[in-house]
């Protein structure tokens, strides 16, 4: 049902000096989890064990649910993210446009779209609000990259909240297209950054792909458990 070609990947950015990131010999902890779900036979980064880092190290095989970026990876994430409003909206818009282009069925999850002629929904206040909601979730993850113990329950709860969209047709497979969209949008941003060298861009692509996988895995877990009436992280009373 999901129709997606495997595009490449991109990120957002702010201008910084490069000295703190270009650490020779920096090791990577980024896990390359094997994901069973594939779309039209295409391969995502998470399906491949053939990603090589600029320092020649092979990717770490680990549990994506417990992924902990190392110091170098955290610095790359921090440097290649921006909380500026225009940047957030541009990223969110790119993510949703990719989703709707590659899986038009997802439009049924957003009834406001039907109110507009053609692509006029792209300029609507409803679309702007939705685009910002998703990237604010990513912003929260980036904000807590030095406190990863906080992110699992946060993303899981976001996934739980999507249970209310099941009646509109939301399925757990849709998290795959969200992951693809994040990778595509973020890699495009990285490709136009001017304050990272080629190796740093390559490494940042890998780290952001992993963060996209980490994010959707936990949201998917929350959604699936929510459908079963299960909550691993009930609110404190």
């Amino acid at each position: 049902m999901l129709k997606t070609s495997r595009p490449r990947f991109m990120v957002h950015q702010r201008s910084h000096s490069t000295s703190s990131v270009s650490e020779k010999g920096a090791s990577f902890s980024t896990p390359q989890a094997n994901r069973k779900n594939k779309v039209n036979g295409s391969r995502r980064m998470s399906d491949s064990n053939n990603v090589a880092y600029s320092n020649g190290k092979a990717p770490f095989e680990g549990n994506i649910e417990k992924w902990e970026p190392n110091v170098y990876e955290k610095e790359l994430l921090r440097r290649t993210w921006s909380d500026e409003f225009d940047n957030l909206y541009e990223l969110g818009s790119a993510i949703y446009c990719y989703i709707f282009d590659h899986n038009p069925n997802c439009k049924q999850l957003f009834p406001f779209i039907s109110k507009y002629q053609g692509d006029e929904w792209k300029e609507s206040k409803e679309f702007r609000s939705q685009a910002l909601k998703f990237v604010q979730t990513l912003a929260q993850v980036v904000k807590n990259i030095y406190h990863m113990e906080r992110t699992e329950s946060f993303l899981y709860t976001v996934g739980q909240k999507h249970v209310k969209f099941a009646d509109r047709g939301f399925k757990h497979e849709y998290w795959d297209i969200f992951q693809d969209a994040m990778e595509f949008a973020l890699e495009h941003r990285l490709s136009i950054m001017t304050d990272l060298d080629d190796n740093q861009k390559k490494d940042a692509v890998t780290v952001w792909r992993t963060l996209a996988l980490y994010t959707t895995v936990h949201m998917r877990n929350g959604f699936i458990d929510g459908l079963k009436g299960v909550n691993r992280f009930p609110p404190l009373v």
Side-chain angles (χ1 to χ4, degrees):
M1 176 180 62
L2 297 180
K3 296 181 179 180
T4 173
S5 58
R6 188 72 197 95
R8 294 193 48 85
F9 174 76
M10 86 178 215
V11 170
H12 215 36
Q13 73 124 6
R14 224 174 348 208
S15 177
H16 300 279
S17 68
T18 62
S19 59
S20 61
V21 178
S22 56
E23 300 173 4
K24 294 295 184 181
S27 61
F28 280 77
S29 64
T30 307
Q32 305 294 299
N34 290 319
R35 188 171 67 187
K36 294 181 180 179
N37 296 315
K38 296 184 181 181
V39 181
N40 290 345
S42 62
R43 298 181 61 176
R44 295 181 179 81
M45 153 269 188
S46 55
D47 297 320
S48 173
N49 295 320
N50 298 318
V51 178
Y53 298 115
S54 64
N55 60 4
K57 290 186 176 292
F60 173 77
E61 290 287 346
N63 181 359
I64 187 63
E65 294 184 12
K66 301 302 179 184
W67 174 57
E68 176 76 27
N70 64 28
V71 174
Y72 176 60
E73 293 166 337
K74 288 174 181 176
E75 179 66 4
L76 282 174
L77 291 171
R78 184 190 66 79
R79 288 190 55 203
T80 52
W81 180 259
S82 171
D83 283 324
E84 295 177 2
F85 177 86
D86 288 344
N87 291 334
L88 290 175
Y89 173 69
E90 182 183 342
L91 180 60
S93 178
I95 288 172
Y96 275 100
C97 286
Y98 178 96
I99 290 170
F100 295 153
D101 286 345
H102 289 78
N103 190 349
N105 289 333
C106 288
K107 289 183 179 181
Q108 69 187 10
L109 302 173
F110 307 96
F112 72 83
I113 291 178
S114 63
K115 298 192 306 182
Y116 296 93
Q117 297 277 339
D119 289 340
E120 290 179 358
W121 54 267
K122 292 182 179 180
E123 304 301 323
S124 70
K125 63 181 181 181
E126 296 97 333
F127 178 70
R128 292 178 68 87
S129 176
Q130 186 61 41
L132 288 169
K133 282 180 182 178
F134 193 79
V135 289
Q136 284 168 349
T137 297
L138 287 180
Q140 187 68 19
V141 175
V142 175
K143 179 181 178 180
N144 286 292
I145 56 174
Y146 292 92
H147 306 279
M148 291 294 285
E149 69 279 0
R150 302 174 184 172
T151 61
E152 180 177 355
S153 60
F154 168 70
L155 293 171
Y156 182 90
T157 300
V158 172
Q160 290 250 311
K161 291 179 179 179
H162 280 71
V163 171
K164 63 185 177 182
F165 301 118
D167 289 342
R168 297 183 190 174
F170 192 92
K171 304 176 182 179
H172 73 84
E173 296 95 333
Y174 284 7
W175 295 117
D176 292 342
I177 194 69
F178 273 91
Q179 181 187 333
D180 289 342
M182 281 190 284
E183 291 189 9
F184 172 76
L186 290 166
E187 184 170 356
H188 173 75
R189 299 287 182 183
L190 278 176
S191 69
I192 60 176
M193 291 181 67
T194 59
D195 64 331
L196 297 181
D197 63 31
D198 289 343
N199 284 337
Q200 291 165 351
K201 288 182 181 180
K202 178 181 176 181
D203 293 342
V205 164
T206 300
V207 175
W208 274 102
R209 285 178 173 178
T210 305
L211 185 136
L213 176 59
Y214 173 89
T215 298
T216 52
V217 161
H218 284 300
M219 290 194 294
R220 185 199 303 264
N221 287 345
F223 177 73
I224 293 175
D225 281 356
L227 291 176
K228 301 174 182 176
V230 175
N231 188 349
R232 299 184 209 169
F233 302 97
L236 298 176
V237 290

